[in-house]
Amino acid sequence: MDAANCGCGRIDVHAHFLPDFYCEALAKAGLRSVDGGMPIPAWSAEAMLAMMDRQQIATAMVSLSSPSTHFLPQAGRAALCRQVNEAGRALVDAHPGRFGFFASLPMPDAAAALDEIAFAFDRLGVDGVILETNSDGEYLGSPRFAPIFEELNRRRATVFLHPTSPACFEQVALGRPAPLLEFPLDTTRTIVDLLYSRTLQTNPDLKVIVPHGGAALPALVARIAAFANLPFITPRPLGEEEVFQTLERLYYDVALSGHPIVLDGLRRIAPVGQILFGSDWPFTPEPGVARNIQQLSASGLSDADLRAIARDNAARVFPRLLAFQGN
């Protein structure tokens, strides 16, 4: 099977939407770009569906990208998250089978986040939640967030991690936008925090999706695991093997990561069965999505593995989608 001409109907787990009211909130806050100069792309359901049809994407799981609602004072975040989540539900209802969505949470307010989890799952029927890698500089392994992860684990929820700029971005960015370097580094930073706080190990029923081919994890995994042997670091993983075992059960999307070099590194920490397709549209323009798909097809993977990444693995994570897709 040529990955560029997948007839199986891709399931895209890393795609974004920008409702008009959200763009208006960004503009009202004075944001004409985000994360160090990234343009705010145009979005509409019609444009997204047209792109999906051209790229043979059957279903896209949409979410709010960085900066989520973090650009607002904390007191204003819950209301905007609620509006975003209700818009996600409306999008799914308007186009059955074409969309799913991950709910945004008003982080770092744990109590408000728990309220939104209950509303999102029990009233809106979300497919999971999206968590930015840090909230006002606080990373996901923070004890303050433990009740959030415990509740999501109780629900056996899917948690999609998404990078955002670190609190010290202006000092380390070197004048370049965050997606170039800081996004993969912040993704890796929060995964290490989740590992060393033992959040991932104590919440084994979570289905966690790590974006962008695991970010810097493939390059740093041996170092991350080796430091688990140092007794002066507490808390920490039980040992090197636990690090590898924990990372092996996470899921990883291949948005901007279909290049064979990246894919080969990812496959050293995760089996093909844990790898999912992602486009990162519209922040990645359609030519970039098409290029990523072509790179996947040149990776040397078997037809069965390409189909697994394109659709079958995600169908296990989101079995409701099977009702809309052929077997």
Side-chain angles (χ1 to χ4, degrees):
M1 178 185 71
D2 181 353
N5 295 293
C6 171
C8 61
R10 292 183 176 88
I11 298 174
D12 182 357
V13 304
H14 186 155
H16 299 299
F17 76 143
L18 294 95
D20 289 344
F21 63 83
Y22 178 74
C23 294
E24 290 167 5
L26 290 172
K28 185 176 180 181
L31 293 176
R32 295 178 175 81
S33 64
V34 293
D35 295 304
M38 292 298 294
I40 299 169
W43 180 89
S44 70
E46 294 73 22
M48 189 166 195
L49 286 166
M51 180 281 300
M52 290 165 62
D53 289 344
R54 288 189 294 268
Q55 301 304 324
Q56 300 184 22
I57 297 170
T59 304
M61 315 301 287
V62 298
S63 58
L64 205 59
S65 186
S66 176
S68 186
T69 61
H70 298 175
F71 63 94
L72 292 175
Q74 286 194 29
R77 296 177 189 180
L80 184 55
C81 281
R82 178 63 57 87
Q83 194 176 6
V84 166
N85 295 339
E86 290 177 336
R89 179 72 255 175
L91 181 66
V92 171
D93 290 343
H95 306 279
R98 299 307 307 271
F99 293 107
F101 80 107
F102 299 134
S104 295
L105 303 181
M107 301 287 279
D109 185 334
L114 287 169
D115 288 344
E116 194 61 25
I117 288 170
F119 181 83
F121 281 93
D122 298 338
R123 298 281 297 278
L124 299 181
V126 298
D127 293 291
V129 301
I130 178 171
L131 293 175
E132 303 294 312
T133 48
N134 78 81
S135 299
D136 300 345
E138 193 167 2
Y139 284 83
L140 295 179
S142 168
R144 176 149 65 137
F145 302 148
I148 295 172
F149 281 97
E150 290 165 5
E151 174 61 14
L152 292 169
N153 185 71
R154 184 186 71 81
R155 291 177 178 271
R156 298 176 178 268
T158 297
V159 177
F160 175 53
L161 302 181
H162 193 277
T164 192
S165 298
C168 58
F169 173 65
E170 289 77 11
Q171 283 70 46
V172 299
L174 306 176
R176 300 180 181 98
L180 174 63
L181 188 59
E182 293 311 313
F183 271 22
L185 294 180
D186 215 57
T187 299
T188 305
R189 187 175 293 114
T190 212
I191 290 291
V192 170
D193 197 36
L194 289 167
L195 275 168
Y196 273 72
S197 66
R198 303 194 55 76
T199 301
L200 292 174
Q201 296 92 315
T202 57
N203 294 285
D205 293 324
L206 292 174
K207 294 184 286 291
V208 177
I209 302 174
V210 184
H212 301 302
L217 285 172
L220 296 177
V221 63
R223 186 183 187 91
I224 294 165
F227 270 70
N229 297 322
L230 301 181
F232 64 85
I233 301 177
T234 56
R236 66 182 187 279
L238 297 178
E240 293 184 62
E241 190 59 28
E242 186 181 68
V243 171
F244 287 105
Q245 289 175 349
T246 304
L247 293 179
E248 189 177 43
R249 66 177 172 80
L250 305 184
Y251 291 88
Y252 301 85
D253 78 51
V254 293
L256 290 172
S257 303
H259 192 286
I261 292 176
V262 182
L263 202 59
D264 287 349
L266 174 58
R267 292 181 64 200
R268 290 181 177 272
I269 65 170
V272 167
Q274 301 298 109
I275 301 175
L276 311 171
F277 176 74
S279 72
D280 204 3
W281 192 88
F283 287 89
T284 295
E286 187 173 356
V289 176
R291 180 173 183 265
N292 197 46
I293 290 171
Q294 290 288 352
Q295 288 174 335
L296 280 170
S297 97
S299 64
L301 290 170
S302 69
D303 287 356
D305 286 347
L306 289 171
R307 179 186 172 98
I309 292 170
R311 171 185 181 274
D312 293 348
N313 296 339
R316 293 199 326 271
V317 179
F318 308 106
R320 75 169 185 85
L321 298 181
L322 293 175
F324 300 100
Q325 298 193 359
N327 296 323

